[in-house]
Structure formats: structure tokens, C-alpha cells
Amino acid sequence: KIAGAAYEMGARSTTPLLTMHKDLHPRLADAILARTAPKRVLDMGCGFGKTTKPLYEAARDAEILGVDLSAPCLKFAAQDAAKAQARNVRFLQRDAARTGLADASVDVVTSTMLLHEMPPAHVRATLAEAHRVLAPGGIMVHLDFLPPDDEFLAWLHFGHSKRNNEPYMATLAAMDLGGAIEAAGFRDVEISDFEEAPGALALAGRKWRFPWTLIAARKAA
């Protein structure tokens, strides 16, 4: 019964400073909404609603769908939405690679910390599913971890992968992710550093931080 709440507390370790934790997901929502004004958004692997919430709060005229495999996390997310009296969000227990949504039925597909949790074949299936459900001209925006160019910081990244039983961090890093996105049918692929809080990137050479990476692309119109 408390699994969703326990996961929510544990997830804060990815942004150990409180201000960073509060900033990360709203900053991603802002980055998405700066690119488009969607009518329908799919948040894949939504968990307890970490990015779903700032999306349904900021895009009140849009329908927000959150999908995840974890029933406890979905219950936590739904309770949080009910407390916020959000009327524009629904949560469904679905696999990101098999959402069951109609073809071309959403304007935005997003996820946070999902791709590094899956083996390469499932990453490719999830990219294909994102392309299928997106309407022409729709965008895909994932936020995840890819190792920095700096060899020492990359060593820390892969060490985290081993210590915390995150084997797919390494396989995601080894993928030609841009090529996989293009193979799924996307264009305008962008893979770039994402600043989880103001000034975070300036600390990157002096202080450990997760290598947040924005992975975006567009479906042809």
C-alpha cells in the first residue's frame, strides 16, 4: 500500500538538493510546452506523476494521459491529482511499448527516467510506439541519463549503474540512440544536456550530478 509513496521518496535522491528536486520536472514540462501547445499528451512510465503533475497543472486545456506498469505508483499519482482537483488527467496501467492508444491520437509523448530502465529491444519498441500514437507533426521528448564526455564523470556514471543495479544505463549508453530514433521514423532528432536547476551545468566539472539529457524528435507532418 505504501510502495508508491516509498518510491516517490526514494526518487528524490536523483536530485539531492530540495530546490533541484522541485525544479527538475516543472522545467521539463516548461521545455515541452515551449515547443508546442498540445491538446493531448502521453506521459510514458509516469510513475507517481513526477512530470505528469506539472504538465496537467501548466496545460489545463490539454488532456494528459499517464501510463505505467506499477499499480501502487499510479494510485499515488491519481490521489495526488485528486487532491489538486485536476480534471484533465487520467492514469492507465499500460506498458509504454504497448499503450493500446489509437494511432495518431496524441500531440506529445514524453517520459522521465524511463529509457535507461529498459533493454535495447524494449527501448526500440517504445520509440516505435511513440511514433505510432503521435499525430503528424507531434513531438517526442524524453528526459534521461547519458554519460558525459568527460572520462572521469562517465566512470562515475557507470559506477552508479553497477552499484545501484541499473544495468540498462550501460546498454542505453552503448546504443546509437539517434539512429534508433530515426529508424523509428522520427526527424529533427535532438540529444542535448538538460539543466535540472539554474546553474546546474556550471557545477558539472566540480560536483557530481546526474547527466540529465533531453532526447527529442518530431514526427513528420
Side-chain angles (χ1 to χ4, degrees):
K1 292 183 179 180
I2 64 170
Y7 177 60
E8 191 273 342
M9 291 294 292
R12 297 186 187 190
S13 66
T14 59
T15 48
L17 299 180
L18 180 60
T19 54
M20 287 189 180
H21 176 71
K22 291 171 70 176
D23 282 353
L24 173 66
H25 305 294
R27 285 170 74 85
L28 175 60
D30 288 347
I32 293 168
L33 298 177
R35 294 166 182 252
T36 186
K39 294 181 179 179
R40 203 171 193 224
V41 179
L42 170 61
D43 187 12
M44 290 176 155
C46 67
F48 53 82
K50 50 195 175 289
T51 298
T52 325
K53 183 172 184 177
L55 282 169
Y56 66 65
E57 289 179 337
R60 295 189 180 275
D61 292 333
E63 180 186 8
I64 314 298
L65 301 173
V67 300
D68 200 278
L69 288 174
S70 169
C73 283
L74 290 169
K75 288 177 181 177
F76 186 98
Q79 289 172 356
D80 205 27
K83 289 177 184 176
Q85 297 185 327
R87 308 294 184 191
N88 60 331
V89 62
R90 289 191 295 141
F91 295 98
L92 304 169
Q93 190 173 18
R94 307 278 173 84
D95 184 342
R98 293 181 292 274
T99 63
L101 300 180
D103 293 356
S105 60
V106 302
D107 305 302
V108 173
V109 171
T110 188
S111 77
T112 308
M113 294 183 281
L114 174 66
L115 300 182
H116 80 273
E117 299 286 1
M118 303 185 293
H122 213 77
V123 171
R124 293 187 184 94
T126 298
L127 295 174
E129 179 71 351
H131 190 271
R132 183 187 70 80
V133 301
L134 275 171
I139 63 170
M140 175 180 73
V141 183
H142 299 290
L143 183 64
D144 220 292
F145 310 121
L146 289 174
D149 292 332
D150 182 279
E151 290 185 5
F152 176 69
L153 294 178
W155 177 77
L156 290 177
H157 174 75
F158 291 119
H160 169 86
S161 171
K162 291 179 180 179
R163 287 190 303 275
N164 291 278
N165 194 29
E166 295 268 17
Y168 299 128
M169 273 187 169
T171 57
L172 181 66
M175 285 182 68
D176 175 7
L177 188 56
I181 292 170
E182 290 178 345
F186 288 97
R187 60 191 301 178
D188 302 330
V189 178
E190 172 191 345
I191 299 177
S192 59
D193 292 337
F194 184 82
E195 193 169 54
E196 70 272 26
L201 288 176
L203 297 174
R206 296 180 285 121
K207 194 172 184 179
W208 165 250
R209 61 182 284 277
F210 281 95
W212 295 101
T213 305
L214 192 74
I215 301 156
R218 183 177 298 276
K219 183 174 179 176

